[in-house]
Amino acid sequence: MASQVRLRLLPNARCLFDEPIQVKVAGLRSKQVVTMKARATDERGMVFSSSATYKADGSGEVHLDKDPSLSGSYVGVEPMGLLWSMKADSLHKRFQKNNALNPHVVKFSVHEEEGRTLAEETNERLLIGDGVSRLPVKHGNIRGVMFTPPGPGPFPAVLDLYTFGGGLSEKRASLLANKGYVVLTVALYGHEDMPKDIKEINLDYFEEAIEFLRKQDKVGGKGVGIISLSKSGDLALSASTYLSGVEATVWINGHCSNTIFPLHYKKSLLHPALLFDTGRIIPTESGASIGKYAMNNPKLEENKATLIPVEKAKGKFLFLTSEEDLNWDSKTCMDMLVERLKHHGKDNFESVCYPKAGHYLEPPYGPYCPSSYHGLWGQRILWGGEPRSHALAEVDMWRRVQEFFRTHLRCEEKK
């Protein structure tokens, strides 16, 4: 490596996963053309990488926050482009970073046109901040992980329904805990001693999780928040509609009906399942399919029992959806939820639609995922969206989620 070339990550090479950094290169020749690269490995050992070509200024410097990429994984001025544009070495693979104890380690490097490495630096992107505690939870029926901020509290509490399916994803929960929330993320099946498959879902499980959260010593406030994504969106709607103690619910690219599995509460059926027809899944030349039109129509008379009566909820809602969600038609679902609430004279909601964004809206600066295997559809699915627009949507989404919880989760001392 050329010792005079310096690659700097500011303000620090060690930061939180959802924090932006400034990438700067100095010591190049005036107007020298170089390739910037980023490379990381996820928890399964899958390699993700990106590259972009830059021309140094007259002083031999490249600043990613003001200089445009000329070609590569993206073009134009994109300060965090090397992160969100990273792609897996294999097709249809989604970036997996689920254990909060494992940082997202990214190696940045600068190369001559001939390929020789001029400088490199490692960015350690932490999921769990200093002083935040991580506690595996095995209490009653609950299986999950709880994150608690440092300090005496009291803190507001959030139940994170990140994914539907086996195992746990701790990423979003730990990042929210860094912002000052006690966050519990739970599994529904396939985790530890839980069944590998289920045929129905019981709302009692979420009631137990909410009660567990509210009893924690550092938790204050009258109720909890819920944050969801995809299938867990309708579970969040049901929890906020039928259970007490839910003050604020974030719904991200979910559904307006109870989907896939019947929903029970206190041993009684609350909602049958809105099902799907795999014959309406559209294959594409990419090897992944479009699932947007597979779900049955919730507006049809035979499906109306699946619709969740959100107008009965006492808390606030934040609906966030992507216009180009190809997993299912979450935009129409959001419109139906908004219309239903307005029809009942409710104004307890905010709604945002992101043009050119795809299904998986996550905390920002992770690799954009165009397609991966879908457990419920049983095949590879296109998630939709355009990478740059999706990355911008994630930044805005994450800001709105934090503002929403700050506004609507009132934290008071326990009496």
Side-chain angles (χ1 to χ4, degrees):
M1 288 184 285
S3 58
Q4 73 272 20
V5 178
R6 300 180 303 282
L7 171 58
R8 293 185 296 163
L9 306 176
L10 302 173
N12 200 301
R14 190 172 184 265
C15 64
L16 293 175
F17 183 98
D18 58 349
E19 289 180 345
I21 56 170
Q22 289 182 305
V23 183
K24 297 185 177 183
V25 182
L28 299 169
R29 300 188 305 274
S30 175
K31 307 300 182 182
Q32 183 177 355
V33 174
V34 294
T35 299
M36 301 285 299
K37 294 184 179 182
R39 181 181 174 92
T41 304
D42 77 356
E43 289 175 348
R44 299 165 305 173
M46 184 62 59
V47 174
F48 288 74
S49 60
S50 60
S51 65
T53 302
Y54 286 88
K55 179 184 284 188
D57 62 17
S59 302
E61 296 188 354
V62 174
H63 295 196
L64 266 60
D65 57 342
K66 66 178 183 179
D67 295 328
S69 165
L70 306 177
S71 63
S73 301
Y74 58 91
V75 294
V77 179
E78 298 292 340
M80 300 292 284
L82 286 171
L83 289 176
W84 58 251
S85 71
M86 284 197 291
K87 292 182 179 180
D89 285 358
S90 301
L91 289 174
H92 314 305
K93 297 296 182 182
R94 187 162 165 253
F95 177 76
Q96 298 284 347
K97 186 61 67 174
N98 295 326
N99 188 318
L101 298 178
N102 300 329
H104 178 31
V105 179
V106 184
K107 179 176 284 188
F108 288 91
S109 54
V110 190
H111 304 262
E112 288 183 322
E113 288 184 279
E114 296 78 15
R116 186 169 69 103
T117 302
L118 299 175
E120 57 186 21
E121 183 65 80
T122 299
N123 182 204
E124 189 177 15
R125 307 186 64 80
L126 308 175
L127 274 71
I128 187 167
D130 292 340
V132 174
S133 69
R134 174 188 179 275
L135 177 69
V137 174
K138 190 174 182 179
H139 179 86
N141 294 308
I142 305 168
R143 299 295 182 269
V145 177
M146 186 171 65
F147 297 90
T148 305
F155 301 107
V158 174
L159 177 63
D160 187 340
L161 308 180
Y162 179 77
T163 56
F164 182 78
L168 279 170
S169 177
E170 302 174 16
K171 178 172 66 175
R172 189 171 65 182
S174 60
L175 292 174
L176 266 179
N178 298 335
K179 314 299 181 186
Y181 299 90
V182 176
V183 188
L184 172 65
T185 181
V186 294
L188 281 177
Y189 65 90
H191 178 68
E192 293 186 347
D193 57 350
M194 303 180 87
K196 290 186 177 180
D197 297 294
I198 56 173
K199 294 182 179 179
E200 64 182 45
I201 295 177
N202 291 287
L203 201 58
D204 310 68
Y205 180 75
F206 305 104
E207 184 173 54
E208 187 177 350
I210 291 169
E211 290 174 355
F212 174 82
L213 253 180
R214 295 179 72 181
K215 289 178 181 177
Q216 298 305 304
D217 291 341
K218 288 189 177 184
V219 169
K222 295 180 179 179
V224 306
I226 297 180
I227 184 168
S228 60
L229 173 68
S230 194
K231 160 61 192 172
S232 68
D234 63 69
L235 297 176
L237 294 181
S238 292
S240 61
T241 297
Y242 296 108
L243 303 180
S244 61
V246 181
E247 285 197 302
T249 300
V250 177
W251 175 101
I252 303 173
N253 286 329
H255 211 283
C256 54
S257 286
N258 178 65
T259 63
I260 316 299
F261 299 98
L263 183 68
H264 293 255
Y265 181 51
K266 305 296 185 186
K267 298 183 179 179
S268 296
L269 178 68
L270 273 181
H271 292 285
L274 183 71
L275 301 176
F276 58 90
D277 180 356
T278 55
R280 293 198 294 267
I281 295 177
I282 304 169
T284 72
E285 293 181 358
S286 72
S289 302
I290 296 172
K292 184 170 185 173
Y293 310 103
M295 296 299 299
N296 292 336
N297 186 352
K299 295 181 180 180
L300 297 179
E301 190 63 36
E302 63 263 31
N303 295 324
K304 286 188 176 178
T306 68
L307 289 166
I308 301 164
V310 289
E311 69 276 4
K312 296 181 180 180
K314 294 182 172 60
K316 304 288 186 178
F317 291 104
L318 175 61
F319 302 124
L320 301 165
T321 190
S322 299
E323 202 166 87
E324 294 188 8
D325 183 350
L326 295 183
N327 174 66
W328 57 16
D329 195 355
S330 55
K331 171 63 166 60
T332 294
C333 289
M334 185 183 80
D335 292 342
M336 289 179 64
L337 289 167
V338 168
E339 181 182 351
R340 182 168 189 139
L341 288 168
K342 285 182 176 179
H343 176 75
H344 287 87
K346 300 285 187 175
D347 61 358
N348 59 336
F349 64 90
E350 304 168 45
S351 61
V352 180
C353 179
Y354 295 107
K356 298 183 180 180
H359 183 69
Y360 269 109
L361 286 178
E362 301 192 272
Y365 312 130
Y368 162 75
C369 178
S371 60
S372 65
Y373 183 79
H374 191 302
L376 292 177
W377 294 156
Q379 57 185 285
R380 298 184 183 97
I381 286 290
L382 289 170
W383 300 117
E386 181 274 321
R388 179 180 181 275
S389 299
H390 189 89
L392 290 172
E394 289 186 329
V395 172
D396 186 76
M397 175 276 297
W398 196 230
R399 175 186 62 82
R400 288 179 185 272
V401 166
Q402 294 171 59
E403 289 179 356
F404 177 73
F405 282 146
R406 274 198 302 269
T407 302
H408 299 297
L409 286 183
R410 298 177 296 277
C411 191
E412 302 165 355
E413 294 280 354
K414 290 186 176 180
K415 295 180 180 179

